[in-house]
Amino acid sequence: AFASRSTLGTGWAQKTVVWTFVVIHAAWGWWFFISLESVQVPFGRISRDAYLSDPHVSYPAPPYAAMLHINEISPPESRVLVIGDARGYHMERPFVASSVCNLSPLAVWAEESSDAGALADRLRKESISHILVNAAEAYRTRNRKIMVLSASALERLRQFWFSYLEGPWQDIDRTEKHQRFLFVYKVRSGAPAKPEAPPPPSFALPFPVTVTP
């Protein structure tokens, strides 16, 4: 038996529709693939540093630019305290960080210290030479409350921040695409910069703090 002309025509029409669907979606998929910023790096359309410095859907508020700065300016024996971020993969220095499930070590040390000078001594005892603050990530995850302090510990921390740190180096980009708020401080090795001067009321720490009653 031979297929009728109408049957053959229907078959070719179905194949045409299917192949048109396949070609259109393949073209769309290829366009989507090459438009991804991660794919543009090996093609040389953007640099690796530029890609890692900008946030992406699965990579919010990256600390990469601050890590590059630390790698460039600090000696190999430096040790970095990271606040507001648990990531440290690209940092070429030993570092101390905490996840969003734990208190920051700085909060613990501030509670255990008797004053700002003792807190500075504690950081030196822990061999902390620099502090990296990813404020954008700290505020993005602020509901996890990694910096919980008593009122007295908060005042010690503010005095320490005001008197015992140098800097900051900063990378701030408020545009909607980037949203970077990165700070790098150096812990003073000697006497405080302002031993007698309390921080002014307007002086604010570059990360969210939860004060316990």
Side-chain angles (χ1 to χ4, degrees), residues 130-142:
H130 294 78
I131 298 177
L132 187 163
V133 179
N134 187 346
E137 181 69 359
Y139 277 95
R140 190 182 74 86
T141 59
R142 62 185 177 275

PDB file of all heavy atoms in Angstrom, residues 130-142:
ATOM      1  N   HIS A 130      45.822  42.236  59.667  1.00  0.00           N
ATOM      2  CA  HIS A 130      44.898  42.992  58.826  1.00  0.00           C
ATOM      3  C   HIS A 130      43.457  42.520  59.083  1.00  0.00           C
ATOM      4  O   HIS A 130      43.235  41.374  59.494  1.00  0.00           O
ATOM      5  CB  HIS A 130      45.218  42.811  57.338  1.00  0.00           C
ATOM      6  CG  HIS A 130      46.531  43.393  56.933  1.00  0.00           C
ATOM      7  ND1 HIS A 130      47.737  42.760  57.195  1.00  0.00           N
ATOM      8  CD2 HIS A 130      46.838  44.557  56.284  1.00  0.00           C
ATOM      9  CE1 HIS A 130      48.732  43.505  56.728  1.00  0.00           C
ATOM     10  NE2 HIS A 130      48.207  44.590  56.171  1.00  0.00           N
ATOM     11  N   ILE A 131      42.519  43.404  58.830  1.00  0.00           N
ATOM     12  CA  ILE A 131      41.096  43.069  58.928  1.00  0.00           C
ATOM     13  C   ILE A 131      40.440  43.391  57.596  1.00  0.00           C
ATOM     14  O   ILE A 131      40.564  44.514  57.094  1.00  0.00           O
ATOM     15  CB  ILE A 131      40.404  43.839  60.067  1.00  0.00           C
ATOM     16  CG1 ILE A 131      41.030  43.470  61.415  1.00  0.00           C
ATOM     17  CG2 ILE A 131      38.914  43.539  60.082  1.00  0.00           C
ATOM     18  CD1 ILE A 131      40.448  44.245  62.587  1.00  0.00           C
ATOM     19  N   LEU A 132      39.774  42.418  57.033  1.00  0.00           N
ATOM     20  CA  LEU A 132      39.010  42.596  55.800  1.00  0.00           C
ATOM     21  C   LEU A 132      37.529  42.608  56.164  1.00  0.00           C
ATOM     22  O   LEU A 132      37.035  41.657  56.776  1.00  0.00           O
ATOM     23  CB  LEU A 132      39.317  41.473  54.806  1.00  0.00           C
ATOM     24  CG  LEU A 132      38.737  41.558  53.392  1.00  0.00           C
ATOM     25  CD1 LEU A 132      39.484  40.594  52.473  1.00  0.00           C
ATOM     26  CD2 LEU A 132      37.243  41.261  53.318  1.00  0.00           C
ATOM     27  N   VAL A 133      36.826  43.663  55.789  1.00  0.00           N
ATOM     28  CA  VAL A 133      35.391  43.760  56.046  1.00  0.00           C
ATOM     29  C   VAL A 133      34.652  43.773  54.709  1.00  0.00           C
ATOM     30  O   VAL A 133      34.891  44.655  53.876  1.00  0.00           O
ATOM     31  CB  VAL A 133      35.036  45.040  56.835  1.00  0.00           C
ATOM     32  CG1 VAL A 133      33.526  45.115  57.058  1.00  0.00           C
ATOM     33  CG2 VAL A 133      35.771  45.065  58.171  1.00  0.00           C
ATOM     34  N   ASN A 134      33.788  42.793  54.520  1.00  0.00           N
ATOM     35  CA  ASN A 134      32.889  42.799  53.367  1.00  0.00           C
ATOM     36  C   ASN A 134      31.528  43.278  53.878  1.00  0.00           C
ATOM     37  O   ASN A 134      30.679  42.493  54.296  1.00  0.00           O
ATOM     38  CB  ASN A 134      32.781  41.406  52.745  1.00  0.00           C
ATOM     39  CG  ASN A 134      31.981  41.401  51.452  1.00  0.00           C
ATOM     40  OD1 ASN A 134      31.288  42.360  51.133  1.00  0.00           O
ATOM     41  ND2 ASN A 134      32.074  40.311  50.707  1.00  0.00           N
ATOM     42  N   ALA A 135      31.343  44.593  53.847  1.00  0.00           N
ATOM     43  CA  ALA A 135      30.129  45.182  54.426  1.00  0.00           C
ATOM     44  C   ALA A 135      28.884  44.786  53.640  1.00  0.00           C
ATOM     45  O   ALA A 135      27.812  44.581  54.225  1.00  0.00           O
ATOM     46  CB  ALA A 135      30.264  46.700  54.484  1.00  0.00           C
ATOM     47  N   ALA A 136      29.004  44.669  52.328  1.00  0.00           N
ATOM     48  CA  ALA A 136      27.836  44.300  51.522  1.00  0.00           C
ATOM     49  C   ALA A 136      27.326  42.918  51.914  1.00  0.00           C
ATOM     50  O   ALA A 136      26.121  42.705  52.076  1.00  0.00           O
ATOM     51  CB  ALA A 136      28.192  44.338  50.036  1.00  0.00           C
ATOM     52  N   GLU A 137      28.224  41.971  52.080  1.00  0.00           N
ATOM     53  CA  GLU A 137      27.820  40.624  52.472  1.00  0.00           C
ATOM     54  C   GLU A 137      27.353  40.599  53.923  1.00  0.00           C
ATOM     55  O   GLU A 137      26.413  39.870  54.271  1.00  0.00           O
ATOM     56  CB  GLU A 137      28.988  39.649  52.282  1.00  0.00           C
ATOM     57  CG  GLU A 137      28.688  38.206  52.637  1.00  0.00           C
ATOM     58  CD  GLU A 137      27.723  37.521  51.685  1.00  0.00           C
ATOM     59  OE1 GLU A 137      27.254  38.155  50.725  1.00  0.00           O
ATOM     60  OE2 GLU A 137      27.429  36.336  51.917  1.00  0.00           O
ATOM     61  N   ALA A 138      27.995  41.383  54.782  1.00  0.00           N
ATOM     62  CA  ALA A 138      27.581  41.433  56.186  1.00  0.00           C
ATOM     63  C   ALA A 138      26.146  41.936  56.319  1.00  0.00           C
ATOM     64  O   ALA A 138      25.359  41.392  57.108  1.00  0.00           O
ATOM     65  CB  ALA A 138      28.537  42.327  56.977  1.00  0.00           C
ATOM     66  N   TYR A 139      25.803  42.954  55.551  1.00  0.00           N
ATOM     67  CA  TYR A 139      24.424  43.474  55.616  1.00  0.00           C
ATOM     68  C   TYR A 139      23.445  42.546  54.888  1.00  0.00           C
ATOM     69  O   TYR A 139      22.283  42.448  55.272  1.00  0.00           O
ATOM     70  CB  TYR A 139      24.366  44.885  55.043  1.00  0.00           C
ATOM     71  CG  TYR A 139      24.775  45.928  56.062  1.00  0.00           C
ATOM     72  CD1 TYR A 139      26.081  46.405  56.126  1.00  0.00           C
ATOM     73  CD2 TYR A 139      23.853  46.418  56.989  1.00  0.00           C
ATOM     74  CE1 TYR A 139      26.466  47.338  57.078  1.00  0.00           C
ATOM     75  CE2 TYR A 139      24.225  47.360  57.940  1.00  0.00           C
ATOM     76  CZ  TYR A 139      25.527  47.811  57.982  1.00  0.00           C
ATOM     77  OH  TYR A 139      25.897  48.730  58.932  1.00  0.00           O
ATOM     78  N   ARG A 140      23.916  41.867  53.850  1.00  0.00           N
ATOM     79  CA  ARG A 140      23.035  40.919  53.151  1.00  0.00           C
ATOM     80  C   ARG A 140      22.628  39.767  54.071  1.00  0.00           C
ATOM     81  O   ARG A 140      21.514  39.253  53.987  1.00  0.00           O
ATOM     82  CB  ARG A 140      23.748  40.363  51.909  1.00  0.00           C
ATOM     83  CG  ARG A 140      22.861  39.549  50.972  1.00  0.00           C
ATOM     84  CD  ARG A 140      23.648  38.997  49.799  1.00  0.00           C
ATOM     85  NE  ARG A 140      24.483  37.889  50.208  1.00  0.00           N
ATOM     86  CZ  ARG A 140      24.080  36.612  50.271  1.00  0.00           C
ATOM     87  NH1 ARG A 140      22.830  36.298  49.956  1.00  0.00           N
ATOM     88  NH2 ARG A 140      24.911  35.670  50.647  1.00  0.00           N
ATOM     89  N   THR A 141      23.531  39.363  54.964  1.00  0.00           N
ATOM     90  CA  THR A 141      23.272  38.232  55.866  1.00  0.00           C
ATOM     91  C   THR A 141      23.064  38.692  57.308  1.00  0.00           C
ATOM     92  O   THR A 141      23.251  37.908  58.238  1.00  0.00           O
ATOM     93  CB  THR A 141      24.437  37.229  55.804  1.00  0.00           C
ATOM     94  OG1 THR A 141      25.663  37.891  56.193  1.00  0.00           O
ATOM     95  CG2 THR A 141      24.607  36.673  54.396  1.00  0.00           C
ATOM     96  N   ARG A 142      22.688  39.961  57.505  1.00  0.00           N
ATOM     97  CA  ARG A 142      22.629  40.512  58.863  1.00  0.00           C
ATOM     98  C   ARG A 142      21.613  39.810  59.757  1.00  0.00           C
ATOM     99  O   ARG A 142      21.741  39.838  60.982  1.00  0.00           O
ATOM    100  CB  ARG A 142      22.336  42.002  58.830  1.00  0.00           C
ATOM    101  CG  ARG A 142      21.008  42.392  58.211  1.00  0.00           C
ATOM    102  CD  ARG A 142      20.881  43.908  58.118  1.00  0.00           C
ATOM    103  NE  ARG A 142      19.657  44.344  57.465  1.00  0.00           N
ATOM    104  CZ  ARG A 142      19.501  44.456  56.155  1.00  0.00           C
ATOM    105  NH1 ARG A 142      20.517  44.144  55.352  1.00  0.00           N
ATOM    106  NH2 ARG A 142      18.364  44.860  55.631  1.00  0.00           N
TER     107      ARG A 142
END
